[in-house]
Amino acid sequence: MLEQQHTVVTINGKEYLADPDQNLLDLINTTDNYVPQICYNESLGPVQTCDTCVVEVNGEMVRACGTSVRPGMKVNTNLETVNAAQKESLDRILEKHELYCTVCDYNNGDCEIHNTVAEFGLEHQSRPFQEKPYNVDDSSPFYRYDPDQCILCGRCVEVCQDVQVNETLLIDWEREQPRVVWDNDVPIDQSSCVSCGQCVTVCPCNALMENDMVGEAGYMTDHSPGLLRSMIDLTKKAEPGYGPLFAVSDTEASMREERIEKTKTVCTYCGVGCTFDVWTKDRKILKVEPQQESPANGISTCIKGKFGWDYVNSEERITKPLIRKDDSFVEVEWDDALNYVAKRFTEIKDREGADSLGFIASSKATNEESYLMQKLSRQVFGTNNVDNCSRYCQSPATKGLFRTVGHGGDSGSIDDIAEAEMVITIGSNTAESHPVLASRIKRSQKLFGQKLYVFDLRKHEMGQRADRFFQPKSGTDLVWLSAVTKYIIDQGWENKEFINKWVNDFEEYKESLNKFTLEYAEEITGLSKDNLIDIAKQIVSVDKLAICWAMGVTQHQLGSDTSTAISNLLLVTGNYMRNGTGAYPLRGHNNVQGCSDYGSMPNFFPGYEKVSDDDVRKRYEEAWDCEIPSEPGKDNHMMVEAIHEGNLKSLYVIGEDTGIVDANINYVTDAFKKLDFFVVQDLFLTETAKYADVILPAAPSLEKEGTFTNTERRIQRMYKALDPVGDSRPDWQIITDLAAKLGYEWDYDSPSDIMDESSALAPLFAGVSYDRLENYDSLQWPVDEDGTDTPLLYKDKFPFDDGKAKLFPLDYELEYDTTEKFDLHVNNGRVLEHFHEGNMTYKSPAINHKMPNAFIEVSPELAKERGIEEGAKIRLTSDAGEATGVVHITDRVRGKELYMPLNDNGKSAVNYLTDNSVDKDSNTPAYKEIAVKMDILEKRGKSPLKRNNFRRGNPQPQISVNVERKWDREDYTFPGSQVKRDG
């Protein structure tokens, strides 16, 4: 058995066991044998450009990184000819790269050229460094490229083409002096580069570097180019060999460690849950460095996670508690603010009752802070009126999954989405809202043949890349999903074995599908019968199907039912309980999953145990020594209605700009004005905070400890990188201090204590502790008491009494349509550059350079019909209100479909147009159901999409770096061949 599973390889006379077809360099790296390697990166695989890993295999010189092990293979790494070939390769690299380590910002122990030359023991290079005829490209506001330092390893090209799959970078091997180029050879800032920063992350030297690092990292690097050149020349004269040069530079690098802190954190933007090290010097954020061991993202990042941290040091941060005095705010001390809040809440509770108070937790805050918010609401004030922003987006997906499979979270991990044979995305602009996750899909499609079907109103990047792209009528996804499921059953293609063993209510569900004929679906959705049949055939033709969906599904009046229809389809086809299959509702905010998980919901305690369950409620009452109401409280939507009705008198909002992100802005802000007392806890004077009576200054993620839970149910720990600004405090401390003012001494010394309490009370998190979340370790709930977690949900059963899932019958009635008066439909969603309303990302000058404002997308045919051109200014009016904006004409939208990004809190804010329509089962606003009329204010103008926006770029798709073109050059000889020839 052992011989079948392993291959015996001899390296320098010693036998080693290797996995079949294992990469030879990977094998060598597990032994004590040293082989230089510069272009190779474990996250990228073999690129084969640098030639430094030359070894002898069975008498022939080969690149170890480009060789797979074979039985009986004999490898030599320390022969004189091998050493000579490796030295020749290093000499060629040093001909392209000038070593001036002491005065280089990259001299932080990470330069792989420095480290390789030092470990190899090279003292001198045979050929001098040769400058290249290209200038530094510093056009990007995020990073710069120095061709003189570039060794053409191609890592940046590999990561751009085949990991990020933005396909911007390539090496022009046909030039006399090859170089990395962007698109069809334009400056970085004029290309299709999405500024994800992955090229900078994988660069082995200082050829690519973050702008915030330049002149900041070293003790002797903050100089003008001319002075830096003089210092380089002086250093070379003073240090005759590499040995002395490295001794000095290593000392200087060690000195940097004393002032540059590297702190592991979790990204504060979307729900992918990227983790990385953030480099800080005092309060300066120098760089974000993802790690291979990052469980959700590996080495990947996006523009916001890599570069969108300016808001932390923004001068607009609130740094002192504020209390309203007449029409302005005055700064007060913490004791004064908290005493005042405690006094006013108590007065209102005593006068109006506990249910006159409402609490909204933040999906930007930690799990521990969500736990404390619901504890404050339930224990201290005695009300279940607590909710969070999952009400705005993900509650319908959670509801649909609860109905059918029992847990309101992703079926598996991001790895499972990548492993699927077919991925369907519905109502998800994945490449812009979840870019790192989208890259996994794009990579699987490009390199491994994964089928991608995309359903959306708008032909965004994923629609353009899809094998098939479909544009069903808005709000009709339930119909085509049910029709496809019915067709599969009618043909006898359902997974009978899976259904018989694991699924209840099949016959009742089958009968409920009667109305969902192909003809009915064609009429309602606009998708042809032939297309629906093709969809069904493709779904049953694959063994592993994963479906991803987002706000284009959930933010409709039938969002819960449509989410249920997705899960029904997966159950009928047996696409649960296995890796590479399942349901993936892509969570929008970084901790929108965790905020709900940890109990900030009106009907659930932490871990989704019902407040109406007497045994569960008793557990919390005994632990907290209090009485808790058995009736669910009010959700976000109900709270606003209750304010208007005069039943909710006081509101406490943490980290949520409710006055912009909730539907029907005018209605919501009118409610704020009616409150007796309003507390907002946030980083900035948001639109919501302007209505507050008290503003409490909170701290962002970099200034505190805690955990976030990402879209794949992964709990990850973050560490404090900076001290809070001014008198601001972490949310958990503020809530704890307020509870103390109200007579409740919780005695938490750190967020770890809060996590321990929640784990002791909520079975779903029984084994979660900070000790098990050290550094890059993570846990995916449910977590057993012994620490065993659950990357794949439903591995052994579904969480119902009999262990079986449930098919859930559905009906459909069209709840929304345009009218003769309001004849245009407004779709809305995220853009890559900004996050939601932009309260954080608009604080970044570099991001604003790329996208300074929102826009309204109009189709070419509608623009022609209405007589408007690019840059036109229009007013959109709905039943609820009006918004104005500038037009971008694009075929991403068609006909009478418009698209508005969410990233505006001014006159272009989409929620001036939304009304009070909600999903019937979750009260999630129907943000995607907006009918408007258009008035033209100006027929043409300046385009809202700048010339340097990546959408105007010209990507150049290819596989990897095309290294064969290098090998075909007349001036190239394989070093192993040259050594043999010269010998």
Side-chain angles (χ1 to χ4, degrees):
M1 179 66 70
L2 193 63
E3 291 181 359
Q4 292 177 349
Q5 294 178 343
H6 291 89
T7 299
V8 177
V9 176
T10 302
I11 303 176
N12 298 330
K14 185 176 178 180
E15 290 187 344
Y16 295 89
L17 289 178
D19 296 326
D21 296 320
Q22 182 177 359
N23 181 278
L24 177 57
L25 187 55
D26 281 342
L27 174 63
I28 294 172
N29 288 339
T30 66
T31 73
D32 294 331
N33 302 286
Y34 170 71
V35 171
Q37 50 202 273
I38 292 178
C39 73
Y40 186 70
N41 179 291
E42 195 171 341
S43 296
L44 301 178
V47 185
Q48 302 191 75
T49 52
C50 78
D51 296 332
T52 59
C53 66
V54 171
V55 297
E56 187 187 80
V57 174
N58 297 338
E60 293 293 325
M61 295 277 217
V62 299
R63 302 173 190 87
C65 73
T67 303
S68 299
V69 299
R70 293 289 180 266
M73 181 179 280
K74 289 182 170 52
V75 181
N76 283 294
T77 69
N78 53 16
L79 296 175
E80 185 176 334
T81 51
V82 170
N83 186 266
Q86 293 170 349
K87 180 180 182 301
E88 170 64 22
S89 301
L90 287 171
D91 279 336
R92 294 180 184 181
I93 287 171
L94 295 176
E95 193 176 12
K96 297 184 181 75
H97 179 88
E98 188 170 23
L99 283 172
Y100 51 84
C101 307
T102 309
V103 291
C104 173
D105 281 299
Y106 205 83
N107 185 39
N108 302 288
D110 300 319
C111 178
E112 294 177 59
I113 298 177
H114 170 116
N115 296 344
T116 302
V117 171
E119 189 162 2
F120 189 80
L122 190 67
E123 276 293 321
H124 299 280
Q125 62 192 85
S126 301
R127 294 183 292 277
F129 164 72
Q130 297 290 326
E131 291 185 353
K132 304 181 188 76
Y134 308 118
N135 295 324
V136 172
D137 187 342
D138 56 5
S139 62
S140 166
F142 302 103
Y143 66 95
R144 65 103 178 98
Y145 171 59
D146 185 351
D148 258 352
Q149 293 299 94
C150 178
I151 61 171
L152 300 176
C153 67
R155 281 188 185 183
C156 59
V157 176
E158 174 63 35
V159 80
C160 183
Q161 289 286 344
D162 297 339
V163 177
Q164 157 65 20
V165 198
N166 200 58
E167 302 171 323
T168 298
L169 275 67
L170 60 154
I171 296 177
D172 186 349
W173 293 111
E174 272 64 54
R175 292 177 183 234
E176 182 178 350
Q177 290 275 2
R179 61 158 286 173
V180 176
V181 296
W182 278 252
D183 284 359
N184 48 341
D185 194 11
V186 298
I188 298 170
D189 196 43
Q190 301 298 318
S191 73
S192 61
C193 174
V194 293
S195 306
C196 67
Q198 293 181 45
C199 58
V200 187
T201 295
V202 300
C203 182
C205 61
N206 63 340
L208 287 162
M209 192 180 299
E210 299 89 345
N211 288 342
D212 288 336
M213 281 281 287
V214 177
E216 289 287 351
Y219 282 88
M220 297 180 286
T221 58
D222 186 15
H223 302 293
S224 64
L227 182 56
L228 182 62
R229 181 72 257 166
S230 299
M231 293 183 67
I232 293 170
D233 293 340
L234 180 64
T235 301
K236 284 185 167 184
K237 291 176 182 176
E239 298 163 351
Y242 290 141
L245 185 149
F246 291 155
V248 174
S249 66
D250 288 347
T251 300
E252 197 264 354
S254 297
M255 293 168 59
R256 297 183 188 188
E257 293 294 323
E258 297 177 5
R259 69 170 183 173
I260 296 178
E261 297 291 333
K262 301 173 185 178
T263 310
K264 185 253 183 173
T265 194
V266 185
C267 187
T268 190
Y269 287 107
C270 83
V272 172
C274 295
T275 49
F276 31 66
D277 289 347
V278 57
W279 290 28
T280 55
K281 186 179 75 171
D282 299 324
R283 283 203 65 87
K284 290 181 178 177
I285 299 169
L286 301 184
K287 71 184 294 188
V288 158
E289 186 78 2
Q291 304 295 319
Q292 184 178 328
E293 61 265 36
S294 300
N297 60 298
I299 59 170
S300 296
T301 45
C302 77
I303 181 175
K304 297 182 291 292
K306 181 76 171 177
F307 299 111
W309 296 89
D310 303 75
Y311 76 93
V312 173
N313 289 319
S314 169
E315 293 182 357
E316 297 177 42
R317 285 277 302 274
I318 299 173
T319 59
K320 294 274 289 186
L322 302 173
I323 291 180
R324 181 180 295 280
K325 299 293 184 184
D326 298 323
D327 292 330
S328 62
F329 292 100
V330 296
E331 293 184 348
V332 298
E333 298 304 317
W334 270 107
D335 273 350
D336 296 331
L338 293 175
N339 283 331
Y340 182 54
V341 172
K343 175 176 175 290
R344 295 291 286 119
F345 275 159
T346 301
E347 289 173 349
I348 294 169
K349 177 187 174 183
D350 290 346
R351 185 178 72 244
E352 306 285 348
D355 285 340
S356 67
L357 309 177
F359 301 84
I360 298 178
S362 174
S363 59
K364 284 274 170 275
T366 64
N367 291 322
E368 295 78 7
E369 290 161 344
S370 174
Y371 177 86
L372 290 191
M373 190 60 159
Q374 60 89 33
K375 184 177 180 180
L376 180 75
S377 174
R378 293 184 165 115
Q379 182 202 32
V380 176
F381 291 109
T383 179
N384 287 319
N385 292 346
V386 60
D387 205 4
N388 72 88
C389 88
S390 70
R391 188 69 49 199
Y392 299 144
C393 54
Q394 285 303 324
S395 292
T398 302
K399 182 76 172 180
L401 294 175
F402 275 150
R403 286 171 168 172
T404 52
V405 288
H407 278 314
D410 283 8
S411 304
S413 305
I414 294 172
D415 287 345
D416 289 306
I417 300 174
E419 183 184 329
E421 292 177 41
M422 180 179 186
V423 168
I424 295 175
T425 72
I426 309 173
S428 172
N429 181 8
T430 324
E432 298 194 57
S433 58
H434 302 87
V436 169
L437 187 150
S439 292
R440 298 296 300 275
I441 299 173
K442 292 191 288 184
R443 174 179 169 85
S444 291
Q445 182 201 31
K446 180 177 181 178
L447 301 183
F448 306 115
Q450 183 183 81
K451 295 176 182 176
L452 174 61
Y453 275 31
V454 172
F455 295 79
D456 215 323
L457 301 183
R458 179 170 172 261
K459 197 168 187 178
H460 43 62
E461 180 186 344
M462 298 306 280
Q464 292 166 356
R465 289 182 177 274
D467 296 288
R468 294 291 306 275
F469 173 63
F470 303 95
Q471 292 175 289
K473 184 179 178 180
S474 176
T476 66
D477 290 310
L478 184 155
V479 177
W480 72 257
L481 284 160
S482 298
V484 165
T485 307
K486 172 178 167 55
Y487 186 80
I488 288 171
I489 294 172
D490 288 346
Q491 302 306 307
W493 296 342
E494 74 272 19
N495 191 324
K496 298 179 182 64
E497 182 180 354
F498 180 86
I499 293 169
N500 291 336
K501 185 174 182 180
W502 292 114
V503 184
N504 286 323
D505 306 325
F506 177 76
E507 291 301 327
E508 180 187 357
Y509 171 68
K510 179 181 176 181
E511 186 176 341
S512 75
L513 292 174
N514 287 339
K515 76 181 290 183
F516 295 103
T517 63
L518 295 178
E519 291 77 14
Y520 174 75
E522 183 176 61
E523 177 188 353
I524 297 294
T525 69
L527 301 182
S528 71
K529 289 188 288 185
D530 288 344
N531 277 336
L532 293 168
I533 292 170
D534 175 74
I535 294 163
K537 287 179 177 178
Q538 288 298 324
I539 286 172
V540 298
S541 73
V542 298
D543 182 49
K544 295 181 177 182
L545 168 69
I547 301 181
C548 305
W549 74 101
M551 297 187 297
V553 167
T554 59
Q555 292 179 339
H556 285 275
Q557 292 179 68
L558 296 178
S560 293
D561 283 353
T562 305
S563 299
T564 306
I566 292 171
S567 191
N568 284 337
L569 172 59
L570 290 166
L571 286 171
V572 165
T573 54
N575 279 292
Y576 275 113
M577 305 185 84
R578 294 176 294 132
N579 288 115
T581 68
Y584 297 87
L586 304 181
R587 306 308 194 184
H589 285 256
N590 60 306
N591 203 40
V592 70
Q593 179 73 55
C595 197
S596 295
D597 292 347
Y598 279 82
S600 285
M601 300 187 79
N603 53 336
F604 289 123
F605 286 111
Y608 301 100
E609 294 185 291
K610 294 179 179 179
V611 298
S612 58
D613 187 312
D614 292 342
D615 292 335
V616 174
R617 196 172 61 259
K618 182 179 179 182
R619 187 193 320 144
Y620 282 89
E621 289 176 336
E622 290 178 350
W624 294 346
D625 190 22
C626 67
E627 290 187 11
I628 300 171
S630 61
E631 290 295 316
K634 298 178 180 67
D635 59 37
N636 290 5
H637 178 76
M638 297 164 68
M639 288 184 205
V640 174
E641 287 188 337
I643 296 170
H644 279 290
E645 293 165 358
N647 298 323
L648 196 93
K649 302 293 186 178
S650 183
L651 189 62
Y652 185 2
V653 175
I654 294 181
E656 190 66 56
D657 201 355
T658 311
I660 285 293
V661 302
D662 205 344
N664 200 343
I665 290 175
N666 295 323
Y667 182 75
V668 173
T669 53
D670 282 347
F672 293 163
K673 296 173 187 176
K674 295 179 179 180
L675 286 165
D676 287 356
F677 189 57
F678 189 17
V679 178
V680 171
Q681 191 165 302
D682 215 315
L683 308 181
F684 303 105
L685 184 64
T686 63
E687 293 300 310
T688 302
K690 292 175 183 177
Y691 294 89
D693 296 292
V694 177
I695 304 175
L696 302 177
S701 59
L702 290 187
E703 296 176 0
K704 60 186 176 184
E705 293 193 359
T707 61
F708 291 147
T709 304
N710 77 343
T711 189
E712 47 177 5
R713 301 170 286 104
R714 187 183 301 280
I715 304 169
Q716 300 182 103
R717 186 174 170 186
M718 64 189 189
Y719 297 80
K720 179 181 171 183
L722 301 168
D723 290 328
V725 170
D727 288 344
S728 61
R729 295 179 181 177
D731 294 292
W732 72 268
Q733 288 186 8
I734 299 172
I735 301 170
T736 300
D737 292 343
L738 177 59
K741 296 292 186 184
L742 290 155
Y744 292 80
E745 296 292 340
W746 288 343
D747 295 326
Y748 301 121
D749 292 327
S750 73
S752 177
D753 296 335
I754 305 168
M755 178 60 78
D756 289 343
E757 179 178 313
S758 64
S759 298
L761 286 169
L764 200 69
F765 314 120
V768 179
S769 70
Y770 273 34
D771 289 343
R772 289 175 174 147
L773 297 171
E774 285 285 344
N775 296 317
Y776 284 89
D777 290 339
S778 65
L779 295 167
Q780 290 173 265
W781 63 252
V783 183
D784 294 338
E785 195 168 352
D786 64 1
T788 302
D789 70 340
T790 316
L792 179 67
L793 275 178
Y794 324 122
K795 190 172 183 180
D796 303 313
K797 63 178 182 177
F798 292 94
F800 294 111
D801 290 343
D802 62 358
K804 291 186 176 184
K806 304 174 182 179
L807 285 165
F808 192 93
L810 299 166
D811 198 0
Y812 180 83
E813 294 294 335
L814 186 64
E815 301 287 343
Y816 158 84
D817 211 339
T818 54
T819 65
E820 185 176 348
K821 178 181 179 182
F822 299 114
D823 62 329
L824 305 178
H825 174 252
V826 176
N827 187 19
N828 56 86
R830 305 198 193 281
V831 289
L832 175 68
E833 297 90 336
H834 287 288
F835 191 81
H836 217 57
E837 75 283 350
N839 282 342
M840 297 188 296
T841 48
Y842 274 121
K843 306 298 188 294
S844 168
I847 291 178
N848 286 344
H849 171 75
K850 286 292 187 180
M851 181 171 281
N853 46 257
F855 47 82
I856 301 172
E857 289 186 349
V858 175
S859 68
E861 56 268 32
L862 182 63
K864 182 178 181 182
E865 175 193 310
R866 302 294 166 98
I868 58 176
E869 299 177 15
E870 181 77 5
K873 188 175 182 181
I874 60 175
R875 178 174 58 242
L876 302 178
T877 305
S878 71
D879 268 333
E882 64 180 41
T884 59
V886 181
V887 166
H888 173 54
I889 298 172
T890 173
D891 60 5
R892 286 192 171 202
V893 292
R894 66 174 183 175
K896 293 188 174 183
E897 293 283 347
L898 307 176
Y899 181 81
M900 293 179 69
L902 298 175
N903 60 299
D904 200 295
N905 52 24
K907 293 181 179 180
S908 296
V910 70
N911 285 320
Y912 281 117
L913 302 173
T914 49
D915 60 22
N916 292 336
S917 300
V918 294
D919 170 47
K920 63 183 178 63
D921 297 306
S922 69
N923 275 345
T924 293
Y927 292 100
K928 300 297 189 281
E929 298 180 359
I930 314 172
V932 300
K933 67 176 182 177
M934 177 196 294
D935 293 309
I936 301 166
L937 305 180
E938 299 173 11
K939 288 193 171 184
R940 66 184 62 84
K942 186 176 181 181
S943 175
L945 206 64
K946 296 180 65 176
R947 294 301 310 169
N948 66 338
N949 190 279
F950 76 89
R951 295 166 183 81
R952 298 189 181 278
N954 184 18
Q956 304 290 310
Q958 65 181 39
I959 303 293
S960 191
V961 299
N962 287 355
V963 67
E964 296 82 5
R965 290 163 59 195
K966 173 184 177 177
W967 299 340
D968 290 340
R969 286 177 60 92
E970 292 183 0
D971 59 0
Y972 174 79
T973 305
F974 177 53
S977 302
Q978 180 174 324
V979 166
K980 284 194 171 184
R981 182 190 64 200
D982 294 345

